[in-house]
Amino acid sequence: MDEYFHSVRLISDRCKGCVSCTKRCPTEAIRIRGGKAQIIESRCIDCGECIRRCPTHAKTAVTDQLADLAEYAYNVALPAPALYAQFSAEIGIDAILVGLLNLGFDEVFEVAQAAELVSLAINDYMARGQASRPVISSACPAVVRLIQVKFPELIDHLLPINAPVEVAARLVRQKCSKQLNLKPEQIGIWFITPCPAKMTVIKQANDLKSSISGAIGISKIYGDLLKAIPTECPNPRLHKSTWQGIGWAVAGGETSTINELNTLVVYGIHSVSTALEQVVMGKLTGLDYIEALACAGGCIGGALNVEDRFVAEHRMKQRKRTMETVQEAGELDSVGDYSEVLLSGERPPVEPKPVLRLDDDIMKAMSKVEEIESTLKRLPGFDCGLCGSPSCYTLAQDIAQGMASETDCIFKLREKVRDLAQTMIELANKLPPSLDKESS
Ligand code: SF4
Ligand code: SF4
């Protein structure tokens, strides 16, 4: 089985084994064993749901840090549009970008600008009418991974266009190599990310190489950035994106730029999973496009943000109003020269990772299915999670896979202890009277 890099990790000392995370993981990737959570790496999609749910903050996401900039001669920050929502709307986007320069980046390139390009490319692609519908947005890496792991039959529906951050990285890398006469490996390109899943995509050795050098969590640099933002910003405009691109930070922002009538916006990893199930079952007919985002409310709900998502959404609305008043003009109005970084040949192929499969050998898999069904009949069906598996069904699966035993279920354990106690009493009653006297 492939090795997986994961951004989401357990801080073991803090884990109390409370099972909050096991019950909420969308791919049933967490078990409690020996009183501590364990992530089954091949199942984890780095959605960050367990980070949000853990009451003791025992889950965290590993990202890069500002010190890593020292490895490169020239560093470019790619701020996610969600970064702008972490600051009050009185702080202009230009000031935030200057703040990033003050932190040590040599240049900034807004991911929102690339999102505008991707919107144009999506409209081109949809107008060709050749796609398997509904087309599912590939912008959210946790959703792409969910499809790989849980819904491999939907891979053909994924939009074959690079996500905005990847487009931004490719454009800026090309531009810097040409203009600054630098080798690509001398240029560090850093996504300022609201999302652990992006870190995983960048570092995942088994996927085709990303143009992004690393990802720095918004929460990791927020304090320093706040101090680095100037109170006045006389700089020429660094900020070049329009609401069309910035709006991608909020659920619905992407589809608002698409000319298709039948679109569905779904967010929150469990709702996304339910919607994809409905697509597989053929119940969502007549849809052209699905914008699916793992985090509640979209990227503004990402686990690496610092601001509450409702506050963030409110701030984005305030920014939108200001931008409409100011009529800020985008610079990108056609896919034109950018098609090579946008279209399918450039995007890593998405391979299925059907880790929920019981066995590669069909006969063994069928016998495990039978074992699961018969074990399930003996389990109580409460789905309490006290065994450390998220449900009775997953415990039955774990038993069939040799990862657990029936007595991990406390009800089965109690039954077994009671039976043993009964047997002991019966055996004690059978002891010969002479032995009784000797022992007294
Ligand atoms: S939510 Fe999960 S990681 Fe957090 S304390 Fe409970 S079992 Fe441990
Ligand atoms: S990050 Fe998501 S998929 Fe991975 S263990 Fe946590 S909840 Fe499960």
Side-chain angles (χ1 to χ4, degrees):
M1 187 165 287
D2 289 350
E3 292 291 316
Y4 291 83
F5 171 91
H6 285 285
S7 171
V8 175
R9 311 276 171 86
L10 177 79
I11 305 168
S12 188
D13 293 351
R14 291 193 194 161
C15 176
K16 305 289 176 221
C18 69
V19 311
S20 302
C21 57
T22 58
K23 305 290 282 179
R24 291 296 299 174
C25 174
T27 54
E28 295 168 336
I30 310 175
R31 302 289 184 272
I32 307 297
R33 298 284 177 254
K36 301 283 181 190
Q38 286 176 5
I39 298 176
I40 303 172
E41 299 210 335
S42 57
R43 288 184 174 219
C44 174
I45 59 169
D46 286 293
C47 63
E49 189 69 9
C50 54
I51 298 179
R52 292 187 198 91
R53 298 291 162 178
C54 177
T56 61
H57 307 289
K59 291 271 173 56
T60 187
V62 177
T63 68
D64 294 304
Q65 46 198 340
L66 282 173
D68 298 328
L69 271 60
E71 292 170 26
Y72 297 87
Y74 193 80
N75 288 287
V76 185
L78 305 179
L83 177 70
Y84 308 150
Q86 310 308 306
F87 301 95
S88 116
E90 282 89 59
I91 299 180
I93 292 177
D94 256 325
I96 298 170
L97 301 181
V98 172
L100 286 169
L101 295 181
N102 290 343
L103 285 185
F105 293 98
D106 300 293
E107 183 173 335
V108 286
F109 186 94
E110 296 179 82
V111 174
Q113 272 188 281
E116 291 166 29
L117 267 179
V118 174
S119 292
L120 293 172
I122 296 172
N123 283 319
D124 270 13
Y125 176 72
M126 296 301 285
R128 280 187 242 148
Q130 290 161 350
S132 306
R133 302 208 175 197
V135 172
I136 303 168
S137 169
S138 54
C140 174
V143 170
V144 172
R145 221 168 166 82
L146 178 72
I147 289 174
Q148 287 178 289
V149 167
K150 207 169 168 185
F151 303 101
E153 60 273 62
L154 295 181
I155 282 180
D156 288 346
H157 291 252
L158 278 168
L159 179 74
I161 293 175
N162 284 309
V165 63
E166 191 62 42
V167 172
R170 285 169 190 230
L171 287 173
V172 87
R173 195 175 280 287
Q174 276 176 9
K175 191 198 86 168
C176 290
S177 303
K178 262 192 217 152
Q179 292 180 355
L180 304 170
N181 204 18
L182 289 171
K183 291 185 190 142
E185 58 272 22
Q186 291 178 292
I187 306 163
I189 297 181
W190 306 92
F191 183 38
I192 311 301
T193 181
C195 157
K198 199 68 219 174
M199 182 74 184
T200 302
V201 173
I202 296 165
K203 302 283 177 186
Q204 180 56 261
N206 294 317
D207 288 339
L208 286 190
K209 204 160 167 33
S210 165
S211 289
I212 310 163
S213 314
I216 301 178
I218 288 177
S219 54
K220 196 159 243 171
I221 57 164
Y222 177 79
D224 291 335
L225 182 53
L226 193 59
K227 286 184 221 146
I229 289 174
T231 42
E232 296 204 358
C233 191
N235 258 39
R237 258 189 47 189
L238 294 168
H239 162 46
K240 296 190 173 118
S241 60
T242 67
W243 179 254
Q244 279 231 322
I246 295 175
W248 278 57
V250 184
E254 178 184 348
T255 42
S256 71
T257 65
I258 295 173
N259 304 328
E260 294 289 327
L261 285 180
N262 294 313
T263 57
L264 174 74
V265 178
V266 55
Y267 56 77
I269 195 70
H270 291 281
S271 302
V272 169
S273 191
T274 306
L276 295 179
E277 260 166 44
Q278 302 299 313
V279 174
V280 171
M281 288 159 71
K283 289 193 171 176
L284 281 174
T285 52
L287 266 182
D288 296 308
Y289 197 86
I290 300 180
E291 178 186 342
L293 298 155
C295 297
C299 298
I300 52 163
L304 300 181
N305 288 319
V306 292
E307 202 44 274
D308 173 83
R309 78 138 161 134
F310 294 104
V311 173
E313 191 169 346
H314 172 62
R315 286 178 176 171
M316 287 307 253
K317 281 186 184 151
Q318 286 178 313
R319 286 198 189 276
K320 184 181 180 193
R321 273 199 295 275
T322 326
M323 293 183 78
E324 280 172 350
T325 318
V326 179
Q327 289 290 320
E328 298 191 65
E331 296 191 338
L332 308 165
D333 57 5
S334 96
V335 175
D337 296 342
Y338 304 109
S339 54
E340 67 177 286
V341 288
L342 286 164
L343 298 174
S344 54
E346 292 284 324
R347 198 197 63 173
V350 178
E351 304 288 350
K353 297 187 192 295
V355 295
L356 307 188
R357 199 163 53 194
L358 288 169
D359 206 293
D360 290 341
D361 180 326
I362 186 77
M363 297 310 289
K364 284 186 188 159
M366 281 169 68
S367 117
K368 283 180 184 174
V369 169
E370 279 170 24
E371 189 187 338
I372 290 168
E373 280 167 7
S374 81
T375 307
L376 200 53
K377 283 185 193 145
R378 296 191 297 275
L379 295 177
F382 299 151
D383 291 338
C384 62
L386 294 174
C387 57
S389 300
S391 63
C392 293
Y393 185 78
T394 42
L395 177 62
Q397 274 184 327
D398 290 349
I399 293 169
Q401 300 288 46
M403 292 161 53
S405 71
E406 216 163 296
T407 48
D408 285 330
C409 167
I410 56 160
F411 298 95
K412 296 303 291 180
L413 182 64
R414 194 185 287 161
E415 243 176 66
K416 190 144 193 168
V417 169
R418 199 179 47 221
D419 289 351
L420 275 174
Q422 187 60 38
T423 308
M424 292 289 283
I425 292 167
E426 283 166 17
L427 287 174
N429 288 337
K430 285 183 185 164
L431 281 176
S434 56
L435 276 181
D436 267 355
K437 275 180 198 154
E438 274 172 23
S439 61
S440 60

